[in-house]
Amino acid sequence: MSDTVKYLLGEADIPTHWYNLVADLPIPLPPPLHPGTGQPIGPDDLAPLFPMALIMQEVSAEREIEIPDQVRDIYKQWRPTPLFRARRLEAALDTPAKIYYKYEGVSPAGSHKPNTAVAQAYYNKQEGVKRLVTETGAGQWGSALAIAGAMFDLQVDVYMVKISFQQKPYRRALMESFGARCVASPSDETASGRAILEQNPDSAGSLGIAISEAVEMATQRDDTKYALCSVLNHVLMHQTIVGQEAIQQLDMAGDFPDVVVGCTGGGSNFAGIAFPFLGAKLRGGRDLRIVAVEPAACPSLTRGRLAYDFGDTGHLTPLVKMHTLGSTFVPPGFHAGGLRYHGMAPLVSHVLDCGLIEAVAYHQTECFAAGIQFARAEGIIPAPEANHAVKGAIDEALRCKQEGKSETILFNLCGHGHFDMQAYTDYFAGNLVDETYDESELAMALAGLPSVAAE
Ligand SMILES: Cc1ncc(COP(=O)(O)O)c(C=O)c1O
Protein backbone atom coordinates (compact mmCIF):
# COMPACT_ATOMS: atom_id res chain seq x y z
CA MET A 1 0.00 0.00 0.00
CA SER A 2 2.88 2.40 0.69
CA ASP A 3 3.35 3.24 -3.00
CA THR A 4 -0.29 3.80 -3.85
CA VAL A 5 -0.78 6.80 -6.15
CA LYS A 6 -4.54 6.73 -6.87
CA TYR A 7 -7.26 6.16 -4.30
CA LEU A 8 -10.37 5.04 -6.17
CA LEU A 9 -13.94 4.56 -4.96
CA GLY A 10 -16.76 2.56 -6.61
CA GLU A 11 -20.01 3.98 -7.98
CA ALA A 12 -21.83 2.86 -4.83
CA ASP A 13 -19.58 5.22 -2.84
CA ILE A 14 -20.87 8.36 -4.59
CA PRO A 15 -22.38 10.41 -1.74
CA THR A 16 -26.15 10.08 -1.36
CA HIS A 17 -26.59 13.58 0.10
CA TRP A 18 -25.21 17.05 -0.43
CA TYR A 19 -23.82 18.66 2.72
CA ASN A 20 -25.17 22.03 3.86
CA LEU A 21 -22.69 24.00 5.99
CA VAL A 22 -25.46 26.39 7.07
CA ALA A 23 -26.59 23.75 9.60
CA ASP A 24 -23.27 23.87 11.44
CA LEU A 25 -22.43 27.59 11.35
CA PRO A 26 -21.55 29.09 14.75
CA ILE A 27 -23.03 32.45 13.67
CA PRO A 28 -25.99 32.56 11.23
CA LEU A 29 -25.45 33.76 7.68
CA PRO A 30 -26.80 37.29 7.00
CA PRO A 31 -29.84 36.98 4.65
CA PRO A 32 -30.02 38.30 1.06
CA LEU A 33 -31.91 41.60 0.84
CA HIS A 34 -34.32 43.11 -1.64
CA PRO A 35 -32.50 46.09 -3.21
CA GLY A 36 -35.69 48.18 -3.23
CA THR A 37 -36.93 47.61 0.33
CA GLY A 38 -33.70 46.62 2.08
CA GLN A 39 -35.71 43.76 3.65
CA PRO A 40 -34.77 40.04 3.53
CA ILE A 41 -36.06 38.45 0.34
CA GLY A 42 -38.38 35.43 0.40
CA PRO A 43 -38.64 32.42 -1.91
CA ASP A 44 -41.22 34.21 -4.11
CA ASP A 45 -38.73 36.97 -4.92
CA LEU A 46 -36.43 34.39 -6.49
CA ALA A 47 -39.17 32.48 -8.34
CA PRO A 48 -38.73 34.32 -11.68
CA LEU A 49 -35.12 33.14 -11.77
CA PHE A 50 -34.96 29.67 -10.24
CA PRO A 51 -37.17 26.58 -9.85
CA MET A 52 -38.73 26.31 -6.37
CA ALA A 53 -36.77 23.14 -5.46
CA LEU A 54 -33.48 25.06 -5.83
CA ILE A 55 -34.88 28.09 -3.97
CA MET A 56 -35.80 25.81 -1.06
CA GLN A 57 -32.24 24.44 -1.08
CA GLU A 58 -30.95 28.02 -1.12
CA VAL A 59 -32.76 28.88 2.11
CA SER A 60 -32.46 25.45 3.74
CA ALA A 61 -30.85 24.91 7.14
CA GLU A 62 -31.02 21.09 6.85
CA ARG A 63 -27.61 19.51 7.25
CA GLU A 64 -28.13 17.02 4.42
CA ILE A 65 -30.18 17.12 1.25
CA GLU A 66 -30.77 13.90 -0.64
CA ILE A 67 -29.34 13.68 -4.15
CA PRO A 68 -32.08 12.50 -6.57
CA ASP A 69 -31.39 9.06 -8.13
CA GLN A 70 -31.42 10.50 -11.66
CA VAL A 71 -28.69 13.00 -10.70
CA ARG A 72 -26.61 10.32 -8.97
CA ASP A 73 -26.96 8.12 -12.07
CA ILE A 74 -25.54 10.89 -14.24
CA TYR A 75 -22.75 11.53 -11.72
CA LYS A 76 -21.71 7.91 -12.41
CA GLN A 77 -20.53 9.00 -15.88
CA TRP A 78 -17.39 10.42 -14.19
CA ARG A 79 -17.76 10.06 -10.41
CA PRO A 80 -16.29 9.16 -8.01
CA THR A 81 -13.28 11.19 -9.15
CA PRO A 82 -9.79 9.96 -8.23
CA LEU A 83 -7.74 11.17 -5.29
CA PHE A 84 -4.03 11.21 -6.14
CA ARG A 85 -1.07 11.16 -3.81
CA ALA A 86 1.35 13.55 -5.54
CA ARG A 87 4.39 11.39 -4.88
CA ARG A 88 6.33 12.70 -7.86
CA LEU A 89 5.65 16.34 -6.92
CA GLU A 90 6.67 15.61 -3.33
CA ALA A 91 9.96 14.19 -4.63
CA ALA A 92 10.49 17.17 -6.97
CA LEU A 93 9.98 19.57 -4.07
CA ASP A 94 12.04 17.37 -1.73
CA THR A 95 9.46 18.03 0.98
CA PRO A 96 8.60 15.89 3.99
CA ALA A 97 4.95 16.90 3.45
CA LYS A 98 2.42 14.50 1.97
CA ILE A 99 0.46 16.10 -0.87
CA TYR A 100 -2.89 14.77 -2.07
CA TYR A 101 -5.06 16.17 -4.82
CA LYS A 102 -8.64 15.43 -5.76
CA TYR A 103 -8.92 15.56 -9.55
CA GLU A 104 -12.18 17.02 -10.93
CA GLY A 105 -10.74 17.39 -14.44
CA VAL A 106 -12.04 13.91 -15.32
CA SER A 107 -15.59 15.26 -15.72
CA PRO A 108 -16.96 15.66 -19.27
CA ALA A 109 -16.55 19.46 -19.09
CA GLY A 110 -13.07 19.12 -17.58
CA SER A 111 -13.85 20.64 -14.17
CA HIS A 112 -15.99 20.46 -11.03
CA LYS A 113 -18.77 22.51 -12.68
CA PRO A 114 -20.97 19.60 -13.89
CA ASN A 115 -21.58 18.61 -10.24
CA THR A 116 -24.04 21.47 -9.96
CA ALA A 117 -24.94 21.83 -13.66
CA VAL A 118 -26.55 18.38 -13.68
CA ALA A 119 -28.43 19.09 -10.44
CA GLN A 120 -29.68 22.47 -11.66
CA ALA A 121 -30.78 21.07 -15.03
CA TYR A 122 -32.60 18.23 -13.25
CA TYR A 123 -34.68 20.50 -10.98
CA ASN A 124 -35.49 22.89 -13.84
CA LYS A 125 -36.65 19.99 -16.01
CA GLN A 126 -38.81 18.68 -13.12
CA GLU A 127 -40.59 22.04 -12.99
CA GLY A 128 -41.29 22.21 -16.72
CA VAL A 129 -38.60 24.72 -17.73
CA LYS A 130 -37.62 24.57 -21.42
CA ARG A 131 -34.65 26.94 -21.61
CA LEU A 132 -31.77 27.87 -19.28
CA VAL A 133 -29.77 31.07 -19.62
CA THR A 134 -26.41 31.54 -17.96
CA GLU A 135 -23.05 33.30 -17.99
CA THR A 136 -19.61 31.75 -18.28
CA GLY A 137 -16.15 33.07 -17.51
CA ALA A 138 -13.54 30.52 -18.46
CA GLY A 139 -16.07 28.51 -20.45
CA GLN A 140 -15.99 25.63 -17.97
CA TRP A 141 -19.41 26.47 -16.56
CA GLY A 142 -20.99 27.10 -19.96
CA SER A 143 -19.63 23.74 -21.13
CA ALA A 144 -20.98 22.02 -18.02
CA LEU A 145 -24.47 23.49 -18.43
CA ALA A 146 -24.45 22.73 -22.17
CA ILE A 147 -23.74 19.06 -21.37
CA ALA A 148 -26.37 18.96 -18.61
CA GLY A 149 -28.87 20.66 -20.96
CA ALA A 150 -28.25 17.98 -23.60
CA MET A 151 -28.85 15.26 -20.99
CA PHE A 152 -32.19 16.75 -19.92
CA ASP A 153 -33.26 18.08 -23.33
CA LEU A 154 -33.14 21.76 -22.30
CA GLN A 155 -32.13 24.64 -24.58
CA VAL A 156 -29.09 26.45 -23.09
CA ASP A 157 -28.02 30.03 -23.89
CA VAL A 158 -24.62 31.10 -22.61
CA TYR A 159 -23.29 34.67 -22.30
CA MET A 160 -19.52 34.20 -22.36
CA VAL A 161 -17.19 36.93 -21.04
CA LYS A 162 -15.76 38.51 -24.21
CA ILE A 163 -12.08 38.12 -23.33
CA SER A 164 -12.56 34.37 -22.75
CA PHE A 165 -14.74 34.09 -25.88
CA GLN A 166 -11.76 35.48 -27.82
CA GLN A 167 -9.11 33.50 -25.93
CA LYS A 168 -10.93 30.16 -26.11
CA PRO A 169 -12.76 29.51 -29.40
CA TYR A 170 -12.80 25.76 -28.75
CA ARG A 171 -14.86 26.19 -25.57
CA ARG A 172 -17.53 27.79 -27.74
CA ALA A 173 -17.31 24.89 -30.21
CA LEU A 174 -17.71 22.45 -27.32
CA MET A 175 -20.84 24.22 -26.06
CA GLU A 176 -22.28 24.30 -29.57
CA SER A 177 -21.54 20.59 -30.00
CA PHE A 178 -23.95 19.99 -27.12
CA GLY A 179 -26.57 22.22 -28.75
CA ALA A 180 -26.03 25.38 -26.67
CA ARG A 181 -25.96 28.93 -28.06
CA CYS A 182 -22.89 30.95 -27.03
CA VAL A 183 -22.80 34.77 -27.21
CA ALA A 184 -19.85 37.11 -26.43
CA SER A 185 -20.69 39.38 -23.48
CA PRO A 186 -21.25 42.32 -23.35
CA SER A 187 -23.58 41.80 -26.31
CA ASP A 188 -26.16 43.99 -28.01
CA GLU A 189 -28.89 41.42 -27.23
CA THR A 190 -29.65 42.91 -23.81
CA ALA A 191 -30.20 46.38 -22.33
CA SER A 192 -27.41 45.75 -19.78
CA GLY A 193 -24.98 44.68 -22.50
CA ARG A 194 -25.85 47.69 -24.69
CA ALA A 195 -25.35 50.07 -21.73
CA ILE A 196 -21.84 48.72 -21.15
CA LEU A 197 -20.95 48.85 -24.86
CA GLU A 198 -22.14 52.44 -25.06
CA GLN A 199 -19.72 53.41 -22.27
CA ASN A 200 -16.89 51.21 -23.48
CA PRO A 201 -17.20 49.58 -26.92
CA ASP A 202 -13.97 47.62 -26.25
CA SER A 203 -15.11 46.20 -22.87
CA ALA A 204 -13.40 42.84 -22.20
CA GLY A 205 -16.50 41.85 -20.24
CA SER A 206 -16.65 40.35 -16.78
CA LEU A 207 -18.68 37.75 -14.94
CA GLY A 208 -20.68 40.56 -13.32
CA ILE A 209 -21.70 41.88 -16.75
CA ALA A 210 -22.45 38.43 -18.19
CA ILE A 211 -24.62 37.63 -15.14
CA SER A 212 -26.67 40.80 -15.79
CA GLU A 213 -27.24 39.76 -19.41
CA ALA A 214 -28.30 36.23 -18.47
CA VAL A 215 -30.61 37.38 -15.65
CA GLU A 216 -32.22 39.93 -17.95
CA MET A 217 -32.92 37.31 -20.63
CA ALA A 218 -34.18 34.75 -18.10
CA THR A 219 -36.85 37.07 -16.71
CA GLN A 220 -38.31 37.77 -20.15
CA ARG A 221 -39.89 34.37 -20.87
CA ASP A 222 -42.06 32.12 -18.71
CA ASP A 223 -40.42 28.93 -20.01
CA THR A 224 -36.93 30.21 -19.19
CA LYS A 225 -34.92 30.24 -15.96
CA TYR A 226 -31.46 31.36 -14.96
CA ALA A 227 -28.64 29.06 -13.80
CA LEU A 228 -25.74 30.39 -11.73
CA CYS A 229 -22.27 28.84 -11.82
CA SER A 230 -21.23 29.66 -8.26
CA VAL A 231 -21.75 32.06 -5.30
CA LEU A 232 -25.20 30.91 -4.11
CA ASN A 233 -25.66 28.47 -1.21
CA HIS A 234 -27.28 25.73 -3.32
CA VAL A 235 -24.48 25.81 -5.90
CA LEU A 236 -21.81 25.52 -3.20
CA MET A 237 -23.77 22.70 -1.59
CA HIS A 238 -23.90 20.67 -4.82
CA GLN A 239 -20.09 20.74 -4.91
CA THR A 240 -19.72 19.18 -1.44
CA ILE A 241 -19.69 15.70 -2.96
CA VAL A 242 -16.03 16.50 -3.81
CA GLY A 243 -14.96 16.91 -0.19
CA GLN A 244 -17.15 14.03 0.97
CA GLU A 245 -15.46 11.67 -1.49
CA ALA A 246 -12.04 13.02 -0.47
CA ILE A 247 -12.78 12.19 3.18
CA GLN A 248 -13.53 8.56 2.20
CA GLN A 249 -10.42 8.37 0.02
CA LEU A 250 -8.08 9.83 2.64
CA ASP A 251 -9.55 7.33 5.03
CA MET A 252 -8.49 4.56 2.59
CA ALA A 253 -5.01 6.09 2.68
CA GLY A 254 -5.11 6.18 6.49
CA ASP A 255 -4.59 9.95 6.40
CA PHE A 256 -6.27 13.22 7.33
CA PRO A 257 -5.29 16.69 6.09
CA ASP A 258 -3.56 19.30 8.23
CA VAL A 259 -4.24 21.81 5.46
CA VAL A 260 -6.92 21.94 2.75
CA VAL A 261 -6.31 24.33 -0.17
CA GLY A 262 -8.76 25.43 -2.87
CA CYS A 263 -8.80 28.20 -5.46
CA THR A 264 -11.75 30.51 -5.33
CA GLY A 265 -13.53 32.69 -7.87
CA GLY A 266 -17.16 32.69 -6.80
CA GLY A 267 -16.45 30.09 -4.13
CA SER A 268 -18.03 26.82 -5.31
CA ASN A 269 -14.88 24.81 -5.93
CA PHE A 270 -13.38 25.96 -2.63
CA ALA A 271 -16.58 25.15 -0.75
CA GLY A 272 -16.80 21.76 -2.44
CA ILE A 273 -13.45 20.54 -1.17
CA ALA A 274 -13.42 22.47 2.14
CA PHE A 275 -16.93 22.55 3.63
CA PRO A 276 -17.27 18.84 4.48
CA PHE A 277 -13.97 19.09 6.44
CA LEU A 278 -15.01 22.39 8.03
CA GLY A 279 -18.41 20.98 9.00
CA ALA A 280 -16.81 17.95 10.65
CA LYS A 281 -14.50 20.27 12.59
CA LEU A 282 -17.43 22.46 13.69
CA ARG A 283 -19.22 19.34 14.93
CA GLY A 284 -16.25 18.55 17.20
CA GLY A 285 -14.05 16.69 14.74
CA ARG A 286 -10.36 17.12 14.01
CA ASP A 287 -8.85 20.56 13.66
CA LEU A 288 -7.25 21.63 10.38
CA ARG A 289 -6.32 24.77 8.45
CA ILE A 290 -8.30 25.72 5.36
CA VAL A 291 -6.78 28.09 2.81
CA ALA A 292 -8.65 29.88 0.01
CA VAL A 293 -6.45 31.07 -2.87
CA GLU A 294 -7.51 33.92 -5.14
CA PRO A 295 -5.88 36.00 -7.91
CA ALA A 296 -4.05 39.16 -6.81
CA ALA A 297 -5.66 40.94 -9.78
CA CYS A 298 -9.17 40.26 -8.43
CA PRO A 299 -8.64 40.02 -4.66
CA SER A 300 -12.16 40.07 -3.21
CA LEU A 301 -11.33 38.04 -0.08
CA THR A 302 -7.98 39.60 0.76
CA ARG A 303 -8.64 43.23 -0.22
CA GLY A 304 -12.39 43.57 -0.76
CA ARG A 305 -14.87 44.79 1.83
CA LEU A 306 -17.47 42.59 3.56
CA ALA A 307 -20.64 44.46 2.62
CA TYR A 308 -24.04 44.07 1.00
CA ASP A 309 -23.58 44.35 -2.75
CA PHE A 310 -25.15 43.34 -6.04
CA GLY A 311 -24.08 40.05 -7.59
CA ASP A 312 -24.00 41.63 -11.04
CA THR A 313 -22.88 44.81 -12.74
CA GLY A 314 -26.33 45.79 -14.03
CA HIS A 315 -27.86 45.60 -10.51
CA LEU A 316 -30.58 43.09 -11.39
CA THR A 317 -29.83 40.63 -8.56
CA PRO A 318 -30.70 40.77 -4.84
CA LEU A 319 -28.12 42.23 -2.44
CA VAL A 320 -25.95 39.66 -0.71
CA LYS A 321 -23.45 40.20 2.10
CA MET A 322 -20.10 39.20 0.68
CA HIS A 323 -16.50 40.20 0.27
CA THR A 324 -16.67 42.50 -2.72
CA LEU A 325 -14.52 44.78 -4.84
CA GLY A 326 -17.66 46.66 -5.92
CA SER A 327 -20.07 45.50 -8.61
CA THR A 328 -18.71 48.03 -11.12
CA PHE A 329 -15.18 46.65 -10.86
CA VAL A 330 -14.09 45.07 -14.14
CA PRO A 331 -11.06 42.86 -13.45
CA PRO A 332 -8.14 43.01 -15.89
CA GLY A 333 -8.16 40.35 -18.62
CA PHE A 334 -5.84 37.87 -16.93
CA HIS A 335 -5.95 34.24 -17.89
CA ALA A 336 -7.80 32.59 -15.02
CA GLY A 337 -11.15 33.67 -16.49
CA GLY A 338 -13.15 31.70 -13.92
CA LEU A 339 -11.67 33.78 -11.09
CA ARG A 340 -12.59 37.18 -12.56
CA TYR A 341 -15.56 37.95 -10.31
CA HIS A 342 -15.97 41.09 -8.18
CA GLY A 343 -17.55 39.26 -5.24
CA MET A 344 -17.28 36.04 -3.26
CA ALA A 345 -19.91 33.57 -2.11
CA PRO A 346 -21.68 34.85 1.05
CA LEU A 347 -20.91 31.51 2.76
CA VAL A 348 -17.19 31.68 1.96
CA SER A 349 -17.10 35.37 2.96
CA HIS A 350 -18.90 34.54 6.22
CA VAL A 351 -16.56 31.72 7.27
CA LEU A 352 -13.57 33.98 6.57
CA ASP A 353 -15.20 36.67 8.72
CA CYS A 354 -15.77 34.06 11.48
CA GLY A 355 -12.04 33.23 11.39
CA LEU A 356 -12.67 29.65 10.23
CA ILE A 357 -10.60 29.87 7.05
CA GLU A 358 -7.58 31.80 5.74
CA ALA A 359 -7.20 33.60 2.41
CA VAL A 360 -4.17 34.33 0.27
CA ALA A 361 -3.72 36.00 -3.15
CA TYR A 362 -1.15 35.19 -5.85
CA HIS A 363 -0.15 36.78 -9.16
CA GLN A 364 -0.78 34.84 -12.36
CA THR A 365 2.84 34.30 -13.43
CA GLU A 366 3.80 32.62 -10.14
CA CYS A 367 0.67 30.46 -10.49
CA PHE A 368 1.63 29.41 -14.03
CA ALA A 369 5.16 28.59 -12.81
CA ALA A 370 3.64 26.36 -10.11
CA GLY A 371 1.29 24.77 -12.67
CA ILE A 372 4.21 23.91 -14.96
CA GLN A 373 6.16 22.40 -12.07
CA PHE A 374 3.11 20.34 -11.15
CA ALA A 375 2.49 19.26 -14.76
CA ARG A 376 6.08 18.11 -15.26
CA ALA A 377 5.94 16.01 -12.11
CA GLU A 378 2.36 14.66 -12.23
CA GLY A 379 1.60 14.67 -15.97
CA ILE A 380 -1.59 16.77 -15.80
CA ILE A 381 -1.87 20.33 -17.14
CA PRO A 382 -4.04 22.28 -14.69
CA ALA A 383 -6.59 24.90 -15.66
CA PRO A 384 -5.23 28.41 -14.97
CA GLU A 385 -7.74 28.71 -12.11
CA ALA A 386 -6.49 25.45 -10.59
CA ASN A 387 -2.90 26.74 -10.80
CA HIS A 388 -3.78 29.04 -7.91
CA ALA A 389 -4.48 26.02 -5.70
CA VAL A 390 -1.35 24.27 -7.00
CA LYS A 391 0.70 27.32 -6.02
CA GLY A 392 -0.98 27.39 -2.59
CA ALA A 393 -0.26 23.70 -2.02
CA ILE A 394 3.36 23.99 -3.19
CA ASP A 395 3.93 26.94 -0.84
CA GLU A 396 2.52 24.90 2.05
CA ALA A 397 4.79 21.98 1.12
CA LEU A 398 7.84 24.27 0.97
CA ARG A 399 6.91 25.72 4.36
CA CYS A 400 6.82 22.15 5.71
CA LYS A 401 10.27 21.57 4.23
CA GLN A 402 11.62 24.70 5.93
CA GLU A 403 10.03 23.77 9.25
CA GLY A 404 10.95 20.08 8.91
CA LYS A 405 7.28 19.06 9.30
CA SER A 406 5.58 16.12 7.62
CA GLU A 407 2.12 17.65 7.32
CA THR A 408 -0.62 16.33 5.04
CA ILE A 409 -1.82 18.78 2.39
CA LEU A 410 -4.96 18.27 0.31
CA PHE A 411 -5.96 20.44 -2.62
CA ASN A 412 -8.57 20.32 -5.31
CA LEU A 413 -7.25 20.17 -8.85
CA CYS A 414 -10.57 21.53 -10.05
CA GLY A 415 -9.95 21.35 -13.79
CA HIS A 416 -7.57 20.51 -16.62
CA GLY A 417 -6.11 23.16 -18.89
CA HIS A 418 -6.56 21.49 -22.28
CA PHE A 419 -8.63 24.41 -23.59
CA ASP A 420 -6.22 26.92 -22.03
CA MET A 421 -3.11 26.26 -24.07
CA GLN A 422 -3.11 29.83 -25.42
CA ALA A 423 -2.59 30.96 -21.83
CA TYR A 424 0.38 28.59 -21.49
CA THR A 425 1.72 29.77 -24.87
CA ASP A 426 1.48 33.38 -23.64
CA TYR A 427 3.21 32.41 -20.40
CA PHE A 428 6.12 30.77 -22.24
CA ALA A 429 6.41 33.77 -24.56
CA GLY A 430 6.71 36.06 -21.53
CA ASN A 431 3.51 37.86 -22.47
CA LEU A 432 1.65 37.47 -19.18
CA VAL A 433 1.53 40.62 -17.08
CA ASP A 434 0.95 40.65 -13.33
CA GLU A 435 -1.71 43.30 -12.94
CA THR A 436 -1.71 45.22 -9.69
CA TYR A 437 -4.97 46.52 -8.48
CA ASP A 438 -4.20 49.94 -7.05
CA GLU A 439 -5.78 51.50 -3.99
CA SER A 440 -7.44 54.36 -5.86
CA GLU A 441 -9.20 51.96 -8.25
CA LEU A 442 -10.34 49.86 -5.28
CA ALA A 443 -11.60 52.93 -3.40
CA MET A 444 -13.50 54.10 -6.48
CA ALA A 445 -15.33 50.79 -7.01
CA LEU A 446 -16.11 50.49 -3.30
CA ALA A 447 -17.46 54.04 -3.17
CA GLY A 448 -20.37 52.84 -5.29
CA LEU A 449 -21.51 50.18 -2.78
CA PRO A 450 -25.24 50.36 -2.06
CA SER A 451 -26.10 51.74 1.38
CA VAL A 452 -28.04 49.18 3.36
CA ALA A 453 -29.68 49.90 6.70
CA ALA A 454 -29.27 46.30 7.96
CA GLU A 455 -25.48 46.62 7.90
C1 LIG B 1 -11.52 25.30 -13.47
C2 LIG B 1 -12.21 26.34 -12.64
N1 LIG B 1 -11.84 26.47 -11.37
C3 LIG B 1 -12.40 27.40 -10.57
C4 LIG B 1 -13.37 28.25 -11.04
C5 LIG B 1 -13.90 29.31 -10.14
O1 LIG B 1 -15.22 29.22 -9.80
P1 LIG B 1 -15.65 28.77 -8.36
O2 LIG B 1 -14.94 29.63 -7.39
O3 LIG B 1 -17.10 28.91 -8.30
O4 LIG B 1 -15.25 27.36 -8.24
C6 LIG B 1 -13.81 28.13 -12.36
C7 LIG B 1 -14.88 28.99 -12.87
O5 LIG B 1 -15.20 29.02 -14.01
C8 LIG B 1 -13.20 27.15 -13.18
O6 LIG B 1 -13.57 27.01 -14.45
Side-chain angles (χ1 to χ4, degrees):
M1 279 305 271
S2 65
D3 290 326
T4 303
V5 165
K6 284 195 306 302
Y7 294 89
L8 302 172
L9 299 168
E11 289 177 3
D13 302 314
I14 295 173
T16 54
H17 293 73
W18 292 299
Y19 166 64
N20 186 5
L21 181 70
V22 170
D24 292 315
L25 287 175
I27 301 168
L29 189 66
L33 302 180
H34 192 288
T37 63
Q39 294 302 308
I41 54 165
D44 288 346
D45 294 310
L46 294 172
L49 292 182
F50 303 109
M52 202 39 81
L54 288 177
I55 295 171
M56 296 324 285
Q57 290 184 5
E58 186 61 24
V59 298
S60 172
E62 295 285 309
R63 182 170 289 124
E64 293 190 322
I65 291 183
E66 192 167 8
I67 304 175
D69 284 345
Q70 216 181 328
V71 172
R72 255 180 117 243
D73 280 344
I74 294 178
Y75 281 166
K76 287 179 191 164
Q77 298 292 130
W78 72 95
R79 305 208 72 82
T81 60
L83 178 83
F84 285 84
R85 168 90 185 264
R87 293 185 185 276
R88 296 176 53 84
L89 179 65
E90 289 168 17
L93 297 171
D94 189 26
T95 174
K98 289 188 263 181
I99 307 173
Y100 292 89
Y101 60 96
K102 182 79 169 148
Y103 185 38
E104 289 294 305
V106 297
S107 86
S111 74
H112 60 297
K113 297 286 181 184
N115 297 331
T116 182
V118 169
Q120 292 190 44
Y122 167 83
Y123 290 113
N124 275 286
K125 184 72 181 182
Q126 291 286 104
E127 294 187 25
V129 172
K130 300 274 183 281
R131 185 173 73 140
L132 286 175
V133 189
T134 197
E135 71 289 330
T136 195
Q140 287 275 15
W141 167 245
S143 305
L145 199 68
I147 294 165
M151 287 179 167
F152 287 100
D153 194 22
L154 291 164
Q155 171 59 37
V156 173
D157 287 358
V158 182
Y159 289 86
M160 184 169 186
V161 175
K162 196 184 281 166
I163 180 105
S164 296
F165 187 90
Q166 290 162 348
Q167 286 167 344
K168 300 187 186 189
Y170 298 133
R171 274 283 168 201
R172 173 185 175 186
L174 189 148
M175 290 179 236
E176 289 174 351
S177 303
F178 287 98
R181 195 173 74 92
C182 181
V183 182
S185 166
S187 76
D188 59 9
E189 292 190 356
T190 65
S192 11
R194 288 191 294 273
I196 298 283
L197 289 173
E198 218 165 274
Q199 273 174 10
N200 178 11
D202 297 326
S203 170
S206 70
L207 271 174
I209 295 169
I211 292 173
S212 295
E213 293 209 271
V215 167
E216 187 181 324
M217 291 309 268
T219 49
Q220 284 175 6
R221 264 171 53 176
D222 283 347
D223 65 352
T224 301
K225 298 270 188 220
Y226 169 64
L228 186 61
C229 63
S230 188
V231 181
L232 294 178
N233 297 358
H234 68 272
V235 182
L236 272 55
M237 189 179 67
H238 295 156
Q239 295 294 350
T240 58
I241 50 177
V242 176
Q244 292 184 62
E245 284 180 9
I247 289 174
Q248 292 185 67
Q249 287 161 308
L250 282 168
D251 216 31
M252 286 167 79
D255 238 326
F256 191 85
D258 297 292
V259 194
V260 173
V261 179
C263 73
T264 184
S268 73
N269 157 66
F270 173 75
I273 190 79
F275 282 4
F277 288 97
L278 179 56
K281 170 176 154 172
L282 290 170
R283 294 192 303 277
R286 276 178 69 167
D287 196 15
L288 77 169
R289 289 174 51 228
I290 298 177
V291 183
V293 186
E294 65 178 4
C298 191
S300 57
L301 276 178
T302 51
R303 293 180 64 197
R305 187 178 301 162
L306 183 62
Y308 272 103
D309 198 6
F310 290 97
D312 70 318
T313 307
H315 297 178
L316 303 176
T317 67
L319 297 171
V320 290
K321 193 160 189 186
M322 61 178 176
H323 274 273
T324 178
L325 298 165
S327 59
T328 53
F329 170 63
V330 178
F334 61 90
H335 267 296
L339 306 184
R340 293 180 69 244
Y341 183 58
H342 69 271
M344 185 54 63
L347 265 174
V348 174
S349 301
H350 185 64
V351 293
L352 179 68
D353 196 42
C354 294
L356 297 170
I357 64 165
E358 303 164 31
V360 60
Y362 292 118
H363 286 290
Q364 64 173 347
T365 49
E366 56 187 346
C367 292
F368 272 94
I372 297 291
Q373 187 173 25
F374 174 86
R376 289 182 184 169
E378 296 290 316
I380 300 173
I381 296 188
E385 294 82 5
N387 280 342
H388 290 72
V390 172
K391 168 71 178 154
I394 288 180
D395 274 12
E396 288 292 335
L398 294 176
R399 174 190 56 76
C400 288
K401 180 175 172 177
Q402 219 172 22
E403 296 174 359
K405 285 186 182 159
S406 170
E407 291 183 15
T408 298
I409 299 161
L410 167 69
F411 75 96
N412 197 16
L413 189 67
C414 53
H416 67 63
H418 296 175
F419 287 85
D420 302 280
M421 296 321 295
Q422 186 58 49
Y424 281 88
T425 305
D426 290 347
Y427 172 72
F428 289 125
N431 291 338
L432 292 193
V433 185
D434 284 337
E435 312 267 359
T436 353
Y437 182 27
D438 69 51
E439 287 302 327
S440 58
E441 216 182 327
L442 179 62
M444 212 161 68
L446 288 176
L449 283 178
S451 54
V452 173
E455 276 184 88

